[in-house]
Amino acid sequence: MSIAGEKINPAAQTMETEPLSIEKSVDKRRAIVFKNRFKDKAGPGIPEKYLRKTPPNLPGMSELDVIRHFTRLSKLNYSVDSNFYPLGSCTMKYNPKINEDIAGFDEFANLHPLADDSSAQGTLEFLHRFEQMLIELCGMSAFTLQPAAGAHGEFTGIMIAKKYFKTNGAGQRNEIIIPDSAHGTNPATASMLGFNLINIKSGGDGRIDIQTLKNTLNRKTAVVMLTIPNTLGIFESGIESIVKISHEAGALVYMDGANFNALTGILKPGMLGIDIMHLNMHKTFSTPHGGGGPGAGAVGVGEKLKGFLPVPRIKQENGMYGLDFNLPDSIGRVKSFFGNTGVLLKAYSYLLMHSVQELAQIAENAVINANYVKENLARLYPPYSKERCMHECVLQPHPNLLKNGIRTIDIAKRLLDYGFYAPTIYFPLIVPEAIMIEPTETESKETLDKFIEAMKKIYQESVETPETVKNAPHTMPVKRLDEVEAARKPNLRW
Ligand SMILES: *Cc1c(COP(=O)(O)O)cnc(C)c1O
């Protein structure tokens, strides 16, 4: 099948044309028939009254039907393992398979969560070593590995700030300053913890205006919460002044480091005076991201906040590792047991495989790849900020496309026909019709060139045959959804 002479998604070419929702069940057809060994008796200890009188209402399918159905569904999945996944802010980089092997080691995977410290030495040791690595990498004084996600890390970090001010008799500090270029979870975290949000606008270059920040800081400011690099993919180059004036005003500085992929091995936030930060294992450190699976969001703090970290802390004494609950100022537990150790093990394996120099190279390549895509598309999809970007770039449709009624959603849908996952769209909110592309360092130049080529073709189609783009996707098993209807009346089963 081809559209306008173009080769389309190779996965789609092998797909059956039969609609997914067709009813396949045939009455009385069975894959397996269990002999009723207990026909006339109640079975081992099961009282007669609990025995089923009518057979279960299962779909009637042969084993082969079932296999074909699920194999077909599995082929409809899109993943980093199948193709390019340029979802901005999400860092959909390759997840090395060796991470999975290590996390699957019996000694880790089968450890009982209630095992006493002496039989959990291996797990405790890796958690301790991992904390030390993150301390070294980020220049912070201590890390906790408990939080289960980035947003959970923010929540933990801001709880620490809250307790810090309360303990130091500064409970009146109930405001958090957040620039409009921050990730959406930042304001959500601040408001869930009862802080008043003070939003500040970024300047034309996508950065915080230092004077605006200066005028906004006051004796009620608890935290200045920054996403670095911010959601425009821009580095806050005034960070040293930002930290200085925030500290002078008595506030703490929080760094959302979910996207540390651009900075690993290059920048130590602790050296900039950052007080609290979090890292997403499922972005920077190559653990799988998406699909609702578990994540992990380590939180690092500066010296004066160490005492507020969640308990238990992992301690090392006389060559033995153990859990320390004795931290009187601790905010308490934020996660059961040791956090998501399986995820942490994958991230730890990734760090073991790379020296700091290699991590710096990874960050540089992530930045180079994003700028390569940005520069090659700049003429047809103008970048929102003229600055050099970090690990991701934010583009907009050319006025020629808007004039033809083409919107970002149309471009995203058309990309699916070309076999690419769509970038993040309509985020950050401050950019109209935003197209946020994060290639990651694990993609080759050849892949990026193919993506750039597809984007250029979509531009051409939008000018010449805009209906092709407006009605996309043409090759997907599910065509364009009515998004309002889909949200209000989701059809979650058939
Ligand atoms: C992804 C992301 C988060 C949230 O992380 P989750 O693990 O999805 O909760 C927070 N901040 C930034 C900048 C992010 O990119």
Side-chain angles (χ1 to χ4, degrees), residues 83-94:
N83 219 334
F84 186 42
Y85 210 127
L87 202 58
S89 195
C90 290
T91 317
M92 303 301 283
K93 62 160 101 178
Y94 173 62

Side-chain angles (χ1 to χ4, degrees), residues 192-211:
M192 277 183 75
L193 284 166
F195 285 95
N196 296 332
L197 300 184
I198 312 293
N199 206 274
I200 55 171
K201 274 199 174 339
S202 342
D205 59 353
R207 299 192 169 98
I208 292 181
D209 179 57
I210 310 266
Q211 198 52 47

